[in-house]
Amino acid sequence: MKEIRLDSIDSTNTYAKEHSVEFAKDSITCVSADEQTAGRGRFQRNWVSPKGVNIYATFYFTLPKRALHLISLSQIMAMSLATLLQQKGLKPEIKWPNDIRLSDKKLAGILSEMQFSKTTVECFLGIGINVNLEKSLLEKIDQPATSLKVETGKKWDKNQLLKELQVQFEKDLIRFKLDGFTPFHDEFEALLAMKGKQVHCFDGEKTWVGICHSITEEGQLNLLLEDGTIHTVLSGDIKT
Ligand code: BTN
């Protein structure tokens, strides 16, 4: 894995998109920063990115255009982090499609962006993890959020954690390239937050109300609607 470490940048995703012509096409490049001045979240939200306390990183790599279920790629990154946290004795949950939660609060989020050329897809998987963010700053976030420090009561080495995430994600991506989402399905579903609960799911156009039922073989969300039918959502955002 190639590494680019930046001190301060608007957004590691934006930087990676602007510089991807310079990046190797046969390996992963990880762009990380100590602070972001305009960190971006999904649905045009901003991502709180103060200096020195958290992980802000974008993983860049290319895949053949015919590749598999690209839509579930960001869920693989969520699984990589969840696997790592479980190895450390924590009990993460994944709020579909790719928020990592601890104690029902958001710990990490993933922003997946892609650029399509004739034969390949350039993937930019950005992950923000609240590592040592203090309670006072967490309270300023517009949804219930937590950090590893708040959850465990100790300071974490964010560089070491990023290194471990790089190793885990590299392994998981090899598996995903070979077999798609299928090898991750059962564990993903086992970690699914709000399973069996009624949720509101905004798919970019419409809000669906239903029970958070299950995950398809490709990583999409099955909602059980009031009329007893299953509605499958490809991408979206869920709330209780
Ligand atoms: C979300 O949950 O809305 C996604 C948050 C993604 C934040 C990360 S931080 C590193 C990368 N650069 C960005 O500007 N955003 C992602």
Side-chain angles (χ1 to χ4, degrees), residues 9-14 31 33 36 38-49 55-58 98-100 106 108-113 125-129 143 237:
I9 196 71
D10 49 358
S11 147
T12 55
N13 265 43
T14 308
V31 179
Q36 295 186 121
R40 297 187 285 116
R42 297 176 72 222
F43 300 104
Q44 271 82 51
R45 296 184 192 124
N46 69 323
W47 186 258
V48 175
S49 310
I55 289 175
Y56 317 113
T58 298
N98 51 36
D99 282 1
I100 294 91
K106 183 157 170 168
I110 295 162
L111 177 67
S112 150
E113 297 180 293
L125 275 191
I127 182 163
I129 311 172
Q143 56 179 309
D237 194 37

Side-chain angles (χ1 to χ4, degrees), residues 2-199:
K2 310 256 185 325
E3 278 220 59
I4 298 176
R5 287 165 183 247
L6 304 166
D7 188 27
S8 177
I9 196 71
D10 49 358
S11 147
T12 55
N13 265 43
T14 308
Y15 177 94
K17 282 160 84 177
E18 286 169 359
H19 290 79
S20 66
V21 280
E22 301 153 26
F23 298 167
K25 299 293 170 249
D26 55 355
S27 61
I28 304 176
T29 299
C30 179
V31 179
S32 60
D34 212 33
E35 113 182 293
Q36 295 186 121
T37 53
R40 297 187 285 116
R42 297 176 72 222
F43 300 104
Q44 271 82 51
R45 296 184 192 124
N46 69 323
W47 186 258
V48 175
S49 310
K51 194 170 183 69
V53 286
N54 290 335
I55 289 175
Y56 317 113
T58 298
F59 291 74
Y60 168 84
F61 48 92
T62 62
L63 293 177
K65 206 170 168 185
R66 54 173 168 72
L68 321 155
H69 328 288
L70 286 170
I71 201 144
S72 57
L73 196 52
S74 57
Q75 280 137 277
I76 304 304
M77 177 66 83
M79 282 297 297
S80 303
L81 179 58
T83 303
L84 212 55
L85 296 175
Q86 282 179 306
Q87 285 165 5
K88 296 182 183 303
L90 297 168
K91 294 203 164 27
E93 285 190 322
I94 300 177
K95 181 170 89 80
W96 184 87
N98 51 36
D99 282 1
I100 294 91
R101 307 191 353 146
L102 284 175
S103 313
D104 295 328
K105 295 183 207 98
K106 183 157 170 168
L107 177 83
I110 295 162
L111 177 67
S112 150
E113 297 180 293
M114 287 176 194
Q115 285 176 358
F116 291 81
S117 70
K118 260 199 185 128
T119 51
T120 62
V121 188
E122 292 188 290
C123 305
F124 304 87
L125 275 191
I127 182 163
I129 311 172
N130 297 331
V131 181
N132 293 315
L133 200 61
E134 302 288 350
K135 221 174 178 157
S136 53
L137 276 177
L138 284 166
E139 280 159 7
K140 296 203 170 114
I141 297 177
D142 60 356
Q143 56 179 309
T146 193
S147 68
L148 287 172
K149 186 172 178 200
V150 165
E151 291 299 314
T152 62
K154 66 168 179 106
K155 194 170 179 243
W156 287 60
D157 180 341
K158 71 181 175 72
N159 296 331
Q160 176 62 28
L161 187 65
L162 178 57
K163 218 173 272 165
E164 290 173 12
L165 180 64
Q166 290 169 342
V167 172
Q168 184 66 42
F169 179 68
E170 202 158 25
K171 266 194 231 160
D172 290 340
L173 185 63
I174 291 172
R175 207 145 180 231
F176 178 76
K177 281 188 190 169
L178 287 174
D179 298 318
F181 185 75
T182 308
F184 302 91
H185 173 274
D186 291 1
E187 181 65 9
F188 189 94
E189 203 172 64
L191 295 178
L192 189 62
M194 302 178 189
K195 196 164 177 214
K197 299 216 171 104
Q198 194 190 51
V199 293

